[in-house]
Amino acid sequence: MHFFEYKDGQLFAEGVPAAELARKFGTPLYVYSAATLRRHFEAFDSAFAGVPHLTCYSVKANSNLSLLSLLKDCGAGMDIVSGGELHRALTAGVSPDKIVYSGVGKRADEMRQALAAGILMFNVESAAELELLSAIATDMGKTARISLRINPDVDPKTHPYISTGMKKNKFGLDIESSLATYQRAMALPGIEPIGIDCHIGSQLTSLDPFLEALDRIMRFHERLSGLGLKITHLDLGGGLGIPYNDEEPPHPTEFGEALVKVLKDHPMTVILEPGRVIAGNSGILLTEVVYTKKTPTKDFIIVDAGMNDLVRPSLYGSFHAIREVEPKGRPDVDVDVVGPICESGDFLAKDRNIPAVEQGELLAVFSAGAYGFTMSSNYNSRPRAAEVLVDGDKVTLARRRETLDDLIALEKN
Ligand code: PLP
């Protein structure tokens, strides 16, 4: 459910015509809907009302400060994976005791930064990381609250690049090694093991893998209790999928109900790290048709947004719905919607059946709010797109468009 709707023959972002935004701010342009973000957060968070919990929005999905600040005001904590994301979360005013730090490659300087800030918990992913964290915390006279990220070896049945909880993935620790690593954590100075963490993948469209992973984690939890370790926090990661096309992922309420049923008799604070389900359908990408081009084998619509702006189709073969901003009622055609980048992998849609459009017209790429701008780059020396946040009739320029001078500002001539 989102607030990008057609009214009077044109696309609106809440109360504002999308075409007006494109005219004012240029294209490519990311447009986010505040009402959608609030609605998604509240739907997700309230699904866990049956247990003590903390919903830590996963900053990597969309890290714009305006969004972080909006979600903080809804009560969100944050899941971070770098010192940069920590800086963003703190700048947005998120309380450190609502921040959890995931990621396989935390550096010493990032650990220091997070310990100095006093975050809630580090989700530790290897024995080596645990040793380094202990040394740094001891040196700083601090205690690092930790969980170990368990790799439960469950197939999340999603794209291989976003599967993270299988034996072959780089993430977390297998269950047997985890037991020994918890014992080590109990003995190490500067370390306080308080949690168990798990994140099996992203864009999951079925509950089964979540429940299978939870079952393995709960059995593991019993073994930890046998060691005399009291676990107070259970971090179940993110991963709930969204409809991009014809997927039918479980509604957050269904997801919450299924997990709460298992967890309600355990006196632990449940941490959730949703990203895509909050931000994905809260954003669209507006782009202008630069040219149309017919070749003997294919018709192309060449737009001004490329893989540097939205890499998901090129990287994962992902589907994003593409619609006219001001529909003209022309018949459908089969086309590739491609960007200006010098790569044949630069496309937003392949073999797509959409109404014919003409040079200068606007298209909206839907479901672009998560892993859109955050994965964008300056490839081909293209300044990154602007981002706006619409709240009813109010429009905030959440990030100005980069300029040509921004492109070279850090370089030596
Ligand atoms: N938590 C961790 C550790 C992740 O790696 C990710 C994304 O891959 C997330 C949470 C957010 O996942 P999603 O956006 O699918 O909810």
Side-chain angles (χ1 to χ4, degrees), residues 232-303:
T232 54
H233 291 73
L234 181 60
D235 184 339
L236 296 174
L240 186 59
I242 61 169
Y244 283 97
N245 186 15
D246 51 8
E247 304 90 337
E248 291 181 348
H251 188 273
T253 312
E254 204 186 325
F255 176 68
E257 266 170 18
L259 299 188
V260 167
K261 208 162 147 192
V262 180
L263 295 165
K264 67 179 180 332
D265 298 324
H266 294 273
M268 292 186 282
T269 298
V270 178
I271 297 175
L272 291 316
E273 301 173 353
R276 190 187 308 273
V277 72
I278 308 292
N281 279 318
S282 302
I284 59 173
L285 173 63
L286 298 179
T287 183
E288 185 178 310
V289 178
V290 186
Y291 302 109
T292 58
K293 177 170 168 176
K294 279 186 188 303
T295 73
T297 49
K298 246 186 195 273
D299 290 356
F300 294 97
I301 295 173
I302 303 167
V303 296

Side-chain angles (χ1 to χ4, degrees), residues 44 56-61 79-81 101-103 123 125 149 161-162 164 171 197-204 235-241 272-278 370-371:
F44 189 93
C56 291
Y57 166 70
S58 193
V59 173
K60 66 174 79 64
D79 159 51
I80 58 160
V81 289
Y101 191 170
S102 311
N123 290 333
E125 303 221 15
R149 178 165 173 181
Y161 292 2
I162 47 176
T164 56
F171 298 98
D197 170 49
C198 169
H199 168 80
I200 57 173
S202 195
Q203 185 53 13
L204 273 70
D235 184 339
L236 296 174
L240 186 59
L272 291 316
E273 301 173 353
R276 190 187 308 273
V277 72
I278 308 292
Y371 307 104

Side-chain angles (χ1 to χ4, degrees), residues 83-314:
E85 288 191 351
L86 175 57
H87 185 55
R88 285 179 177 277
L90 295 175
T91 306
V94 179
S95 173
D97 63 4
K98 286 180 151 185
I99 296 177
V100 294
Y101 191 170
S102 311
V104 286
K106 302 177 193 79
R107 288 191 318 244
D109 61 312
E110 294 175 310
M111 290 177 176
R112 283 188 183 277
Q113 185 191 351
L115 282 165
I119 64 163
L120 171 61
M121 185 167 84
F122 290 81
N123 290 333
V124 172
E125 303 221 15
S126 64
E129 182 189 334
L130 183 68
E131 299 293 331
L132 180 60
L133 185 59
S134 164
I136 290 173
T138 310
D139 180 54
M140 290 175 73
K142 303 254 183 206
T143 299
R145 287 173 293 274
I146 67 123
S147 67
L148 293 185
R149 178 165 173 181
I150 308 302
N151 182 329
D153 194 24
V154 168
D155 184 353
K157 304 206 164 55
T158 183
H159 190 282
Y161 292 2
I162 47 176
S163 293
T164 56
M166 294 166 77
K167 229 191 287 188
K168 62 184 177 191
N169 300 132
K170 69 179 174 181
F171 298 98
L173 290 149
D174 67 89
I175 287 197
E176 288 318 311
S177 326
S178 301
L179 205 64
T181 313
Y182 268 108
Q183 281 174 303
R184 176 77 181 140
M186 288 164 79
L188 275 174
I191 297 288
E192 184 188 359
I194 62 165
I196 306 177
D197 170 49
C198 169
H199 168 80
I200 57 173
S202 195
Q203 185 53 13
L204 273 70
T205 52
S206 150
L207 285 178
D208 297 342
F210 287 113
L211 291 173
E212 200 179 327
L214 182 57
D215 180 57
R216 291 184 193 187
I217 295 283
M218 294 314 281
R219 277 189 278 138
F220 179 67
H221 174 244
E222 269 172 41
R223 291 171 72 190
L224 280 186
S225 303
L227 293 178
L229 181 57
K230 185 162 163 25
I231 294 296
T232 54
H233 291 73
L234 181 60
D235 184 339
L236 296 174
L240 186 59
I242 61 169
Y244 283 97
N245 186 15
D246 51 8
E247 304 90 337
E248 291 181 348
H251 188 273
T253 312
E254 204 186 325
F255 176 68
E257 266 170 18
L259 299 188
V260 167
K261 208 162 147 192
V262 180
L263 295 165
K264 67 179 180 332
D265 298 324
H266 294 273
M268 292 186 282
T269 298
V270 178
I271 297 175
L272 291 316
E273 301 173 353
R276 190 187 308 273
V277 72
I278 308 292
N281 279 318
S282 302
I284 59 173
L285 173 63
L286 298 179
T287 183
E288 185 178 310
V289 178
V290 186
Y291 302 109
T292 58
K293 177 170 168 176
K294 279 186 188 303
T295 73
T297 49
K298 246 186 195 273
D299 290 356
F300 294 97
I301 295 173
I302 303 167
V303 296
D304 67 358
M307 63 188 288
N308 74 298
D309 299 297
L310 180 66
V311 76
R312 298 190 68 260
S314 308

